[in-house]
Amino acid sequence: MMVADKRTSPVIQFLAWLARRAEAVVIPLGAVLAGLALFSLFLVALGKSPGTLLDLVWRGGFGSAFALQNSLQRAAPLLFAGLCVALPARLGLVVIGGEGAIVLGGLAAAVVAPPLSGLPAPLVVAAMALAAALMGAAWIGAVGALKAYRGVDATIASLLMSYIAIALANHLIEGPLRDPTSLNKPSTLPVGAANMLGPMPGIGVHWGLGVGVLACLAAWLLMERTTLGFSARIAGGNVRAAQIQGLPVRRLVVGFTALGGAAAALAGFFEVAAVQGNANATLAAGYGFTGILIAFLARHNPLAIPPIALALGGLEASSGLIQRRMQLPDATILVLEGLLFLCVLVGETAYGRFKIFSPHLWASKKAATA
């Protein structure tokens, strides 16, 4: 009886609640620290100081108002790129083709604007966003359809379709859709100054940041507070059980991949409508691939995506300063991100292996000890 009372006491219940949730924080944090340790060894082998690099990352990404603004600017598209991976992941799918959806979404937004230049700017901007979202939804949704109806692996299909999307966009930008006046840098016709999005008041960052944060909140509400999200989690946990219960697994797969594609395409829309003013080769900036790391670090939790996106946005914002001060190539940050991603993947194998994070095993451990 004493043991039973202890197990049901408020303190034990709180510890059990804390243990279950600590696993999702401790293991990714350990993976990040392991990645930083490996990267420090890499720097030491090059004769560079890891402490200097951390100092430059802080100064270049967060050490001043300008640096923080730059980090937030880079974090904005990463929010949408992270959602492109996180939403399908709830159904057990690893979609890594967000880069292609970003590029095609930006291209669709840029193509829609010039013919509608006579309409009021809000309508043009809305049409650009809608065109981008539909393009991304169709492109990544096709990956879901291939998985649901033909059994094609979503990871491979999304990666290959990303390469196809980038090649197709380059062909169109440099060929049929090219602005004749863009000589040195091929691009589409400009969307027009009236259709460009200004910065958010007070922080000087375009509206993609605010919309991205709201999108993460909406995605969390969808996954955690709706029957549709619950159905997706059931299908992701056990497809056979979901089918027995009569859940529309195929439609869920197509729908959530399409949602992820629409989110990624909005990143391309904001890059065109708030930063570039047209579609060009800089749309393929690697945001989609960084979004994979963000989603895995966040454990596919939309609420965890914004702080991680900000951290990696600051890391990328400091890359130029690191290159100048430490005489390192600009790809050094990519090496760090690669090591972090590798350690995160290894960390995935650690879930469920530690009894301290599994309260239902505490009693059996005590019984075995007794």
Side-chain angles (χ1 to χ4, degrees):
M1 290 295 294
M2 291 179 63
V3 174
D5 291 339
K6 271 189 175 182
R7 289 171 57 189
T8 57
S9 69
V11 175
I12 296 299
Q13 291 178 9
F14 173 75
L15 290 176
W17 175 87
L18 188 63
R20 284 191 295 267
R21 284 152 183 79
E23 185 179 40
V25 176
V26 173
I27 292 179
L29 182 60
V32 169
L33 293 176
L36 291 175
L38 290 175
F39 188 69
S40 297
L41 294 176
F42 170 73
L43 289 178
V44 170
L46 294 177
K48 306 296 182 179
S49 169
T52 302
L53 181 126
L54 292 177
D55 178 62
L56 292 176
V57 167
W58 171 254
R59 289 165 57 188
F62 310 99
S64 65
F66 174 78
L68 182 58
Q69 186 183 67
N70 192 17
S71 299
L72 290 171
Q73 190 90 352
R74 290 174 180 265
L78 296 178
L79 297 172
F80 298 103
L83 286 177
C84 183
V85 181
L87 286 171
R90 290 303 182 96
L91 287 115
L93 304 178
V94 181
V95 174
I96 59 176
E99 185 77 1
I102 292 173
V103 172
L104 288 183
L107 179 60
V111 170
V112 164
L116 302 179
S117 57
L119 297 177
L123 291 179
V124 178
V125 171
M128 291 169 62
L130 180 61
L134 290 176
M135 175 60 76
W139 195 260
I140 304 297
V143 174
L146 288 172
K147 171 64 178 178
Y149 295 99
R150 308 305 295 177
V152 179
D153 184 80
T155 305
I156 296 175
S158 61
L159 181 61
L160 293 178
M161 289 193 68
S162 178
Y163 289 131
I164 294 172
I166 295 171
L168 178 62
N170 288 336
H171 167 71
L172 294 175
I173 291 171
E174 297 176 7
L177 300 179
R178 181 172 181 172
D179 180 6
T181 62
S182 59
L183 301 178
N184 297 327
K185 186 178 182 181
S187 60
T188 61
L189 292 170
V191 300
N195 301 321
M196 293 291 291
L197 297 175
M200 297 173 63
I203 62 175
V205 180
H206 64 73
W207 283 94
L209 179 68
V211 174
V213 172
L214 292 177
C216 290
L217 177 60
W220 181 82
L221 291 174
L222 171 67
M223 297 306 304
E224 303 296 337
R225 294 294 184 268
T226 66
T227 55
L228 187 63
F230 179 73
S231 299
R233 296 201 307 274
I234 294 296
N238 190 321
V239 175
R240 182 60 180 161
Q243 290 173 336
I244 292 174
Q245 292 297 320
L247 296 178
V249 176
R250 289 180 173 177
R251 280 183 287 171
L252 287 171
V253 169
V254 176
F256 274 84
T257 51
L259 278 177
L266 286 178
F269 156 71
F270 281 108
E271 285 296 298
V272 168
V275 181
Q276 305 290 344
N278 54 39
N280 53 62
T282 57
L283 283 174
Y287 292 127
F289 299 113
T290 306
I292 302 169
L293 175 59
I294 291 172
F296 274 85
L297 280 173
R299 292 288 297 160
H300 310 304
N301 181 354
L303 290 185
I305 288 177
I308 297 173
L310 175 59
L312 288 181
L315 190 64
E316 294 187 352
S318 63
S319 61
L321 184 62
I322 293 170
Q323 182 182 15
R324 293 191 302 271
R325 296 291 180 86
M326 298 185 69
Q327 300 299 311
L328 289 171
D330 192 42
T332 302
I333 296 300
L334 296 179
V335 175
L336 174 56
E337 291 182 353
L339 287 173
L340 290 175
F341 189 54
L342 178 63
C343 291
V344 168
L345 290 180
V346 173
E348 289 288 316
T349 64
Y351 287 93
R353 292 179 176 270
F354 301 100
K355 288 186 177 181
I356 190 174
F357 299 127
S358 304
H360 63 282
L361 298 177
W362 293 357
S364 60
K365 182 178 180 180
K366 289 181 179 179
T369 303

